[in-house]
Each structure stands twice: as structure tokens, then as C-alpha cells.
């Protein structure tokens, strides 16, 4: 009987040696890391307070400076809009002008859109105005307001 127990014990030890690696498993777990970056588009418009020489005309005179920041991965749009459809007004009298802003150059008879393909941070651009010279402008104080807007795409 002792031989029987000895053989059984030996067999158990051999079986345990083969089973033990199967029982010794690595344990693991996971940790999820999460975060969020909120969409943020801001614009800082600085009016340089320039007076335009209407009779002698202006050529690309810098009248304002704009700083754009937008973290949209699909880009954003800058919109330029004139309160008087691209005309300086004094009562019923008008004087046409054109603007240039980065890739846009032309009259603001309707909204102008400058398309940005990707995010930009602290991008600076100047708003410039051109006016044809003329001795036939009617006397008066002429003005218009250009509004610059930023929006994510």
C-alpha cells in the first residue's frame, strides 16, 4: 500500500507540475483616459482710427488689425460685412471703396468670406482700404462700418 501511495503521490506531483503553469496566469486591467477640448473661436479687432484721404485717394491703407484664433480641426471662416454695401456714405451721397484682407480683395457689396482650412492660433491680418481719387466727390463726412466675424466650419 505504501508503494501505491508513493506512486499516487509521485503521479500527483508530476500532474501538479504540468497543471501549475496553467494555473499561474497574469492578471491585468485597463484604465480609460478621457478628456475634452472645447471648440473655441475668438477674434480681436483693432480699429486703427485712420482718417481716409478721399479727394487724393488711398491705396491699401491699413485701417485695422485682426487677430484670429480658432481650434476647429476642420478650419473656420472669417466673414467681412459692410453696413453700407461697400460704400462710404454721407447722407444720400456715397463713395465706393474696396478692401483687402488676407486672400480677399474687392468690394464689400455683399459679405466676403475668407476660408481657413485648418486651426490657427493668433493669426494676424490687416484690413486695408483703397479709394479712387476724385475732385468730384460731394462735400460731407463719409463713413461705413465693417464687421469681421469668425465661425468654425
Amino acid at each position: 500500500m505504501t508503494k501505491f501511495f508513493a506512486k499516487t503521490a509521485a503521479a500527483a506531483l508530476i500532474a501538479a507540475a504540468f497543471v501549475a503553469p496553467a494555473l499561474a496566469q497574469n492578471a491585468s486591467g485597463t484604465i480609460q483616459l478621457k478628456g475634452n477640448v472645447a471648440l473655441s473661436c475668438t477674434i480681436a479687432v483693432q480699429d486703427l482710427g485712420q482718417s481716409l484721404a478721399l479727394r487724393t485717394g488711398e491705396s491699401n491703407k491699413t485701417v485695422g488689425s485682426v487677430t484670429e484664433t480658432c481650434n476647429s480641426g476642420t478650419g473656420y471662416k472669417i466673414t467681412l460685412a459692410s453696413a453700407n454695401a461697400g460704400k462710404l456714405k454721407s447722407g444720400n451721397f456715397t463713395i465706393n471703396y474696396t478692401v483687402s484682407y488676407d486672400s480677399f480683395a474687392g468690394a464689400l457689396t455683399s459679405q466676403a468670406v475668407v476660408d481657413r482650412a485648418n486651426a490657427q492660433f493668433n493669426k494676424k491680418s490687416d484690413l486695408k482700404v483703397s479709394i479712387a481719387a476724385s475732385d468730384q466727390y460731394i462735400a460731407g463726412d463719409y463713413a461705413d462700418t465693417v464687421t469681421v466675424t469668425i465661425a468654425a466650419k
Side-chain angles (χ1 to χ4, degrees), residues 47 50-52 54 82-97 129 131 138-146:
D47 181 341
Q50 297 294 311
S51 182
L52 301 170
L54 301 179
S82 162
N84 298 325
K87 298 177 186 304
L88 296 168
K89 280 189 161 189
S90 177
N92 292 330
F93 303 106
T94 62
I95 298 173
N96 294 331
Y97 68 91
V129 172
I131 301 169
I138 304 299
D141 292 322
Y142 289 80
D144 189 17
T145 301
V146 176

Side-chain angles (χ1 to χ4, degrees), residues 4 9-10 20 26 28 39 43 47 57 59 70 72-73 84 90 97 100-101 104 107 113 119-120 126 147:
F4 174 73
N26 290 333
S28 66
L39 178 64
I43 194 165
D47 181 341
S59 180
C70 188
S72 171
N84 298 325
S90 177
Y97 68 91
S100 65
Y101 182 84
F104 174 81
V113 176
Q120 300 272 345
D126 289 333
T147 302

Side-chain angles (χ1 to χ4, degrees), residues 112-124:
V113 176
V114 177
D115 188 49
R116 305 284 190 224
N118 48 33
Q120 300 272 345
F121 300 90
N122 296 313
K123 177 171 180 26
K124 296 184 189 286

Side-chain angles (χ1 to χ4, degrees), residues 15-110:
F18 287 111
V19 174
L23 294 177
Q25 298 177 5
N26 290 333
S28 66
T30 60
I31 297 173
Q32 297 262 335
L33 302 177
K34 295 180 182 180
N36 180 276
V37 175
L39 178 64
S40 177
C41 294
T42 61
I43 194 165
V45 179
Q46 181 183 12
D47 181 341
L48 298 178
Q50 297 294 311
S51 182
L52 301 170
L54 301 179
R55 291 189 75 181
T56 58
E58 295 286 1
S59 180
N60 286 319
K61 182 170 187 169
T62 302
V63 295
S65 179
V66 179
T67 304
E68 312 163 8
T69 295
C70 188
N71 66 353
S72 171
T74 56
Y76 61 97
K77 293 182 181 194
I78 297 293
T79 304
L80 306 171
S82 162
N84 298 325
K87 298 177 186 304
L88 296 168
K89 280 189 161 189
S90 177
N92 292 330
F93 303 106
T94 62
I95 298 173
N96 294 331
Y97 68 91
T98 60
V99 298
S100 65
Y101 182 84
D102 212 36
S103 63
F104 174 81
L108 292 177
T109 53
S110 61

